[in-house]
Amino acid sequence: MANLKHGGLLPLPKDKRDFKFGAVFGLPALTELPLEFSGTPPLQIKDQKNTDLCTAYGSAAVSEDQEGILLSPEYIFAKTKELSGEYQSWGADLRTACKALQKFGSLEQKDAPLTIADGRNNVANWENWPRELDTKALAHRKQSYFSVTGQYDMFDNIRATLWAQREEKRSVFTGVLWREGWLFAKDGVIPHLYSDNGFGHAFKIFGWKKILTAYSRVDGGEQIFEPYLIAQLSNGTQYGDNGIFYFPRKVVNEEFTYGAFTFSDIDPEWIKQQQLTIMQIILLKIQQWLALLSQKSPEIAPKPEVAILPLPMPEIAPQPATAPETMQEMVKRVCKEENLTP
């Protein structure tokens, strides 16, 4: 029985600096999505063996969709560990792997002097990779990466992002708390019910397909085909559907808690400018809102003085204080009204 306990995916630390795909480009309406979609077919189903290199294998598969050439996951892992500052600890998170491809790029597989057969620590130690290879890797460097977020659930945010980038052949880099039993799922179809124990495992999502299972909903007495995300794993072709697995909406929304990213060759400075534009729209709306408030409270013209006999002041019951709307609450409300993502 294969041992995947060294999958290698670590939880994703929060970072508000991540570019958000939906906020910058917007996501298409779900009605625009076809019933089935498959992006670029995998160039190769790789096998990471019993190692913790899944983030490197998954990110290499995503990059290969755009580059159209086989890349070395071992080099990516070494550069991911170089960013971390050490190479002996287990695994990596998705963002650090993305940063490695953004800073160093990817080395073509034919130029790699080391493979997983040379041992995990040998390939993970960046000092074992000649520095002149970094120049070659720059040819396959990514300019930026985006967090896959939007107005839908995780399942549909991934689908909408894939569809929005179909012309650029961009897939999604993500991961899940993998269960041991899933390795032997019939035809690679991940079940709705599963055990609690698992470990982080990263991979590529490149489309969705309709599947009819015992869990499919019933409409008019007939079971309905439902979409499943198509995942390319790195555990060889002997598992799943020749190395491909299919995830239902329930599992994606509940278990894809390690983040999701997609690569781009867009200048990060341009992206920052787009985010600034969004904030300018928000500030403009706030200014309009404040102006509207001032219009609702016009100045009252002074009335002529009238002699009024003094009367005893009535007792007034204390009123509960109402907290003023904070700036953060105001921004959230304006974003919701204008269908913006801050």
Side-chain angles (χ1 to χ4, degrees), residues 37-42 65 162 171 204-208 230-232 244:
F37 169 72
S38 180
T40 305
D65 287 346
L162 289 172
S171 46
K204 178 186 84 172
I205 299 291
F206 63 99
W208 62 90
I230 307 174
Q232 175 186 340
I244 303 298

Side-chain angles (χ1 to χ4, degrees), residues 158-177:
I158 291 176
R159 290 204 304 150
T161 300
L162 289 172
W163 184 246
Q165 301 191 104
R166 62 192 182 280
E167 299 297 332
E168 293 81 15
K169 300 180 180 180
R170 305 190 195 283
S171 46
V172 169
F173 179 38
T174 186
V176 70
L177 187 67

